[in-house]
């Protein structure tokens, strides 16, 4: 659940005027787990070892994401961390928020080995992730 706050903070920090820093491209795509779209989640692009790029991310809704905060994802190599959330099924008192469970295996988030290189040519192309 705390990843939602990280993504929200990154999105809010991206509001405003022209940003300086590394060249960025808007990245979008589809994310599935075991063949089904991730309905609610997030995708984080964290700099690969040795990179000075900032992290970037987006919320996944209905299997789709659009990373366009601060002009997109910086050009470079990144580890990709994907989380998916679904209702926990626990009873919820009236007026409370439904607790959510993160159901995507750690090999795709906390212990990810997913990597991507974002290039200038990535703008306008789909960067899809099919997780098993």
């Amino acid at each position: 659940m705390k990843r939602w706050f990280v993504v929200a903070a990154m999105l809010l920090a991206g509001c405003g005027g022209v940003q300086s820093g590394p060249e960025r491209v808007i990245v979008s795509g589809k994310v599935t787990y075991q063949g089904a779209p991730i309905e609610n989640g997030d995708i984080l692009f964290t700099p690969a070892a040795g990179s000075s790029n900032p992290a970037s991310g987006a919320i996944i809704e209905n299997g789709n994401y659009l990373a366009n905060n601060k002009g997109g994802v910086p050009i470079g190599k990144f580890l990709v961390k994907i989380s998916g959330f679904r209702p926990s099924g626990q009873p919820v008192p009236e007026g409370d928020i439904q607790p959510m469970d993160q159901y995507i295996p750690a090999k795709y988030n906390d212990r990810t080995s997913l990597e991507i290189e974002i290039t200038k040519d990535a703008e306008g192309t789909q960067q899809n992730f099919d997780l098993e």
Side-chain angles (χ1 to χ4, degrees):
M1 199 62 179
K2 66 182 175 181
R3 287 187 192 269
W4 283 95
F5 297 113
V6 172
V7 171
M10 287 189 317
L11 291 173
L12 288 173
C15 296
V18 176
Q19 302 289 327
S20 62
E23 185 175 359
R24 296 172 178 262
V25 294
I26 295 172
V27 178
S28 65
K30 298 184 182 306
V31 187
T32 61
Y33 176 63
Q34 295 180 341
I38 295 176
E39 294 297 321
N40 296 295
D42 58 52
I43 184 167
L44 296 173
F45 299 94
T46 59
S51 172
S52 62
N53 275 332
S56 188
I59 293 172
I60 301 169
E61 293 180 316
N62 302 316
N64 298 294
Y65 73 92
L66 174 63
N68 65 351
N69 60 316
K70 290 190 176 184
V73 179
I75 292 173
K77 292 184 181 182
F78 294 88
L79 290 175
V80 180
K81 297 181 178 185
I82 298 172
S83 297
F85 304 99
R86 60 182 169 206
S88 67
Q90 298 174 2
V92 180
E94 189 173 326
D96 280 357
I97 297 173
Q98 171 68 53
M100 303 292 274
D101 287 336
Q102 199 293 107
Y103 67 97
I104 304 299
K107 69 181 181 178
Y108 298 119
N109 44 68
D110 292 335
R111 292 180 289 161
T112 189
S113 61
L114 294 174
E115 292 182 320
I116 189 169
E117 183 166 1
I118 302 297
T119 65
K120 197 171 194 170
D121 297 332
E123 183 92 51
T125 63
Q126 293 275 306
Q127 303 296 319
N128 300 326
F129 297 92
D130 299 312
L131 312 178
E132 296 298 321

